């Protein structure tokens, strides 16, 4: 073989190598993307989520951005990268970052007592006033109980944030501030009011001007009152084993804790900022890293997992930074692996923990892990049980109705007549009334006594729609039973 031929063969081999090597890598990437697509579609079908938006960023690039299903099932509007979703509690990271901004400017300290900025906010533990710091609010170690969420008022007023924070004046702390972790969403509403006092402007304006605009999140909003867009997704809840359109009350005072409105385009920018692309954005990487620094002064709230400033931080063989968000009709989940510069975000127009399961599964698949997971959310399980119970109660109610109508017809046809009341019948009527009254009382007090201080107003907003049906069908069945009992005791067959 001549030298020329040898060189030609070598060049051919080299060219073939470089020609086919990218194809091999591309095929592997396609295989991963195919698995992710299939996984999301399977989970969407199982969970009944109408619409999902998924974003993956890797080393500063958006490597996956897709919509699944519908932003509105009635109009069959598909989810796109422009579709807007409520973020829920993943909004807390925006509020946490704003606090760190103000501290960097020397306008506050995280070690400050919150009363330095909200003098009237007196918080007591075991009857004695306690100092609660801004850091304790950020870390959910303030002692404010988690069920304080049930007291957040429905409001569209400009002072809704102040009204929300004032509900704490009628509630006691349930632990010594700084002693342990307990997640309470209203902590971040208090921080939102601190931001207003320090920045001397409304919270929504501050976040828009100092966080969203610098990051380039120009399609995002702070609160539903700001949204004037045809791209807003409709919200849904699970109910009667399918998605149900639902329009919840407006909680404008809860914006700092849960009501940033955003889409896939802007969340990709948010993830890139969190993963260190400070050369693109005006918010310093040091500030971002500080927002990821967990509070290690208390025990972890989960295995090797501590809370930071709107983020959960898990330190294991690999570090993960994540947070879930749930509103009455929307949910989200953000998870990042900072060492590999990977970020995943899931946005959905249904309140479900399946959003978290999808996010964790997508991260695992992108990292090359094998997953075997068919997640069914707790709300779905509850909805299935409640739907069956409702069917039974409604069937019983129909029987009661039939018997009652039959007795009315018998009275009309003189087949039954009014019975004279005697001691025995009075006793029976009294027992019957007491039984029904006990049933109705149990229905109304069960949430407060069994579910840790929840109330029916809160449950009707947050729980599956089948729960509301269960409430009203149980009340109806009890009243029908009462009427039927009156009929049976107060009348008799004509001899």
């Amino acid at each position: 073989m001549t030298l020329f031929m040898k060189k030609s063969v070598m060049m051919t081999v080299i060219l073939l190598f470089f020609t086919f090597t990218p194809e091999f890598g591309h095929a592997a990437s396609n295989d991963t993307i195919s698995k992710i697509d299939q996984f999301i579609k399977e989970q969407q079908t199982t969970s009944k989520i109408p619409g999902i938006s998924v974003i993956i960023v890797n080393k500063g690039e958006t490597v996956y951005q897709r919509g699944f299903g519908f932003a509105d099932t009635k109009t069959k509007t598909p989810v796109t990268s422009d579709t807007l979703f409520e973020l829920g509690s993943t909004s807390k990271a925006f509020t946490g970052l704003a606090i760190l901004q103000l501290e960097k400017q020397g306008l506050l300290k995280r070690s400050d007592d919150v009363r330095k900025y909200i003098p009237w906010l007196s918080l007591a533990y075991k009857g004695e006033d306690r100092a609660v710091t801004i850091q304790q609010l950020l870390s959910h170690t303030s002692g404010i109980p988690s069920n304080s969420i049930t007291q957040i008022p429905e409001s569209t007023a400009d002072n809704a944030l102040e009204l929300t924070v004032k509900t704490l004046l009628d509630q006691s702390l349930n632990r010594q501030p700084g002693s342990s972790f307990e997640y309470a969403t209203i902590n971040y509403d208090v921080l939102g009011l601190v931001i207003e006092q320090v920045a001397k402007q409304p919270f929504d304006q501050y976040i828009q001007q100092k966080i969203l605009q610098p990051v380039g999140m120009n399609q995002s909003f702070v609160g539903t009152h700001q949204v004037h867009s045809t791209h807003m997704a409709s919200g849904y809840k699970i109910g009667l084993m399918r998605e149900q359109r639902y329009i919840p009350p407006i909680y404008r005072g809860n914006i700092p804790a849960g009501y940033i409105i955003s889409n896939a385009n802007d969340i990709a920018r948010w993830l890139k900022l969190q993963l260190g692309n400070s050369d693109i954005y005006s918010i310093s990487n040091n500030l971002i890293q500080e927002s990821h620094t967990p509070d290690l002064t208390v025990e972890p709230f989960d295995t090797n997992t501590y809370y930071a400033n709107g983020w959960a931080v898990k330190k294991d063989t690999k570090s993960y930074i994540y947070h879930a968000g749930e509103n009455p009709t929307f949910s989200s989940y953000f998870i990042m692996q900072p060492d590999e510069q990977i970020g995943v975000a899931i946005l959905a127009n249904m309140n479900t923990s399946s959003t978290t399961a999808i996010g964790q599964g997508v991260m695992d698949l992108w990292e090359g892990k094998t997953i075997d997971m068919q997640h069914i959310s707790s709300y779905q399980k509850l909805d299935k049980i409640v739907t069956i119970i409702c069917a039974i109660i409604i069937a019983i109610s129909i029987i009661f109705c039939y018997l009652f109508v039959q007795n009315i017809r018998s009275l009309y046809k003189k087949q039954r007549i009014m019975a004279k009341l005697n001691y025995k019948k009075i006793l029976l009527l009294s027992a019957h009334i007491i039984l029904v009254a006990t049933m109705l009382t149990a229905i109304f007090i069960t949430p407060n006594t069994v579910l840790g201080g929840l109330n029916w107003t809160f449950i009707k907003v947050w729980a599956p729609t089948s729960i509301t049906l269960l409430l009203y069908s149980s009340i109806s069945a009890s009243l029908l039973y009462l009427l039927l009992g009156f009929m049976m005791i107060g009348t008799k067959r004509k001899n």
Side-chain angles (χ1 to χ4, degrees):
M1 184 181 289
T2 66
L3 183 61
F4 175 77
M5 288 177 66
K6 286 181 179 178
K7 287 182 176 179
S8 297
V9 171
M10 287 294 294
M11 288 297 293
T12 303
V13 170
I14 291 169
L15 284 170
L16 285 170
F17 177 79
F18 282 107
T19 299
F20 287 106
T21 297
E23 286 300 311
F24 176 79
H26 185 64
S29 176
N30 279 345
D31 182 55
T32 299
I33 288 172
S34 178
K35 287 179 180 178
I36 289 172
D37 284 345
Q38 182 181 355
F39 169 70
I40 294 168
K41 288 173 184 176
E42 288 174 354
Q43 288 296 318
Q44 183 178 24
T45 300
T46 301
S47 63
K48 313 294 183 186
I49 301 174
I52 301 172
S53 193
V54 182
I55 309 101
I56 305 175
V57 300
N58 194 357
K59 295 180 172 61
E61 298 293 329
T62 302
V63 293
Y64 185 100
Q65 186 169 306
R66 294 189 182 177
F68 298 82
F70 299 110
D72 189 296
T73 57
K74 186 176 180 181
T75 60
K76 302 298 181 185
T77 304
V79 172
T80 70
S81 59
D82 295 320
T83 302
L84 293 165
F85 298 81
E86 294 177 11
L87 297 189
S89 287
T90 49
S91 302
K92 288 181 171 65
F94 294 83
T95 301
L97 183 58
I99 289 289
L100 297 185
Q101 272 188 333
L102 293 170
E103 183 179 49
K104 185 181 179 182
Q105 295 168 25
L107 298 176
L108 60 77
K109 292 181 181 178
R110 280 177 282 170
S111 58
D112 288 339
D113 186 334
V114 69
R115 288 176 293 188
K116 181 176 179 180
Y117 309 99
I118 312 174
W120 48 261
L121 186 57
S122 178
L123 300 171
Y125 175 63
K126 293 185 175 179
E128 295 184 10
D129 282 354
R130 292 288 191 269
V132 173
T133 67
I134 290 174
Q135 183 58 63
Q136 288 164 353
L137 293 164
L138 284 165
S139 305
H140 293 290
T141 59
S142 64
I144 296 173
S146 59
N147 64 10
S148 55
I149 189 175
T150 64
Q151 304 304 313
I152 294 175
E154 300 175 19
S155 179
T156 59
D158 290 342
N159 68 336
L161 183 54
E162 182 177 333
L163 295 175
T164 296
V165 175
K166 280 185 174 178
T167 63
L168 293 173
L169 297 175
D170 300 320
Q171 303 176 68
S172 297
L173 303 178
N174 66 358
R175 63 196 67 205
Q176 179 70 28
S179 63
S180 61
F181 174 91
E182 181 176 350
Y183 189 91
T185 196
I186 203 170
N187 280 315
Y188 276 70
D189 295 327
V190 178
L191 292 170
L193 190 57
V194 169
I195 291 167
E196 286 197 345
Q197 299 301 312
V198 173
K200 301 190 184 324
Q201 67 179 129
F203 174 83
D204 55 353
Q205 291 180 21
Y206 181 90
I207 297 297
Q208 197 81 49
Q209 295 169 13
K210 303 298 184 181
I211 304 287
L212 299 183
Q213 289 175 9
V215 177
M217 296 177 68
N218 298 317
Q219 298 172 351
S220 299
F221 303 92
V222 187
T224 56
H225 67 286
Q226 281 193 356
V227 179
H228 302 288
S229 171
T230 57
H231 295 298
M232 187 70 205
S234 299
Y236 297 82
K237 297 202 294 182
I238 194 73
L240 304 178
M241 294 187 283
R242 57 159 296 174
E243 76 280 356
Q244 302 283 348
R245 176 77 186 275
Y246 178 73
I247 301 175
I250 294 174
Y251 300 99
R252 187 168 173 179
N254 194 219
I255 289 174
Y259 285 91
I260 298 291
I261 317 292
S262 194
N263 61 21
N265 298 322
D266 280 2
I267 293 304
R269 294 183 178 92
W270 180 242
L271 290 179
K272 291 171 188 176
L273 173 71
Q274 299 301 318
L275 290 167
N277 291 348
S278 56
D279 57 324
I280 299 174
Y281 305 115
S282 64
I283 299 172
S284 74
N285 188 46
N286 288 339
L287 201 65
I288 296 299
Q289 293 303 311
E290 182 65 27
S291 74
H292 299 164
T293 303
D295 180 4
L296 303 178
T297 65
V298 295
E299 292 296 311
F301 69 87
D302 201 356
T303 306
N304 300 321
T305 306
Y306 298 84
Y307 203 84
N309 306 286
W311 294 103
V313 181
K314 183 172 185 176
K315 299 286 187 181
D316 212 333
T317 51
K318 278 188 175 182
S319 294
Y320 291 93
I321 301 166
Y322 66 91
H323 210 289
E326 290 186 18
N327 278 357
T329 56
F330 288 88
S331 53
S332 67
Y333 185 72
F334 301 165
I335 182 169
M336 299 175 291
Q337 208 295 302
D339 300 325
E340 299 294 330
Q341 297 287 289
I342 303 168
V344 174
I346 314 293
L347 309 175
N349 57 347
M350 177 183 279
N351 176 6
T352 173
S353 61
S354 293
T355 310
T356 295
I358 292 170
Q360 291 170 340
V362 169
M363 174 62 84
D364 287 344
L365 287 169
W366 191 262
E367 291 184 313
K369 299 175 184 176
T370 302
I371 61 170
D372 181 20
M373 179 174 58
Q374 193 70 19
H375 178 81
I376 299 176
S377 74
S378 56
Y379 274 167
Q380 272 187 285
K381 294 174 183 176
L382 176 63
D383 175 63
K384 186 174 182 179
I385 293 168
V386 171
T387 298
I388 293 169
I389 294 171
C390 283
I392 294 170
I393 292 173
I394 290 170
I396 292 171
S397 297
I398 291 171
I399 293 170
F400 286 164
C401 279
Y402 174 77
L403 293 174
F404 184 75
V405 170
Q406 286 294 97
N407 277 277
I408 291 289
R409 288 178 64 186
S410 295
L411 275 173
Y412 180 75
K413 293 181 178 180
K414 309 296 185 185
Q415 294 171 342
R416 292 187 72 88
I417 59 173
M418 300 300 296
K420 291 182 179 179
L421 288 178
N422 53 35
Y423 177 76
K424 182 180 178 180
K425 287 188 179 294
I426 291 172
L427 204 60
L428 280 172
L429 279 171
S430 299
H432 186 66
I433 292 169
I434 291 170
L435 175 61
V436 174
T438 302
M439 290 164 58
L440 291 171
T441 302
I443 290 170
F444 285 108
I445 70 170
T446 293
N448 188 55
T449 55
V450 177
L451 301 178
L454 302 186
N455 54 58
W456 276 112
T457 300
F458 178 82
I459 290 171
K460 284 192 286 185
V461 171
W462 285 85
T465 57
S466 52
I467 294 286
T468 303
L469 179 61
L470 175 64
L471 171 64
Y472 292 129
S473 61
S474 298
I475 293 171
S476 298
S478 299
L479 294 176
L480 284 169
Y481 177 69
L482 179 67
L483 291 173
L484 183 61
F486 283 162
M487 179 67 71
M488 298 299 291
I489 295 169
T491 65
K492 64 179 182 178
R493 281 194 172 276
K494 188 177 181 182
N495 294 328

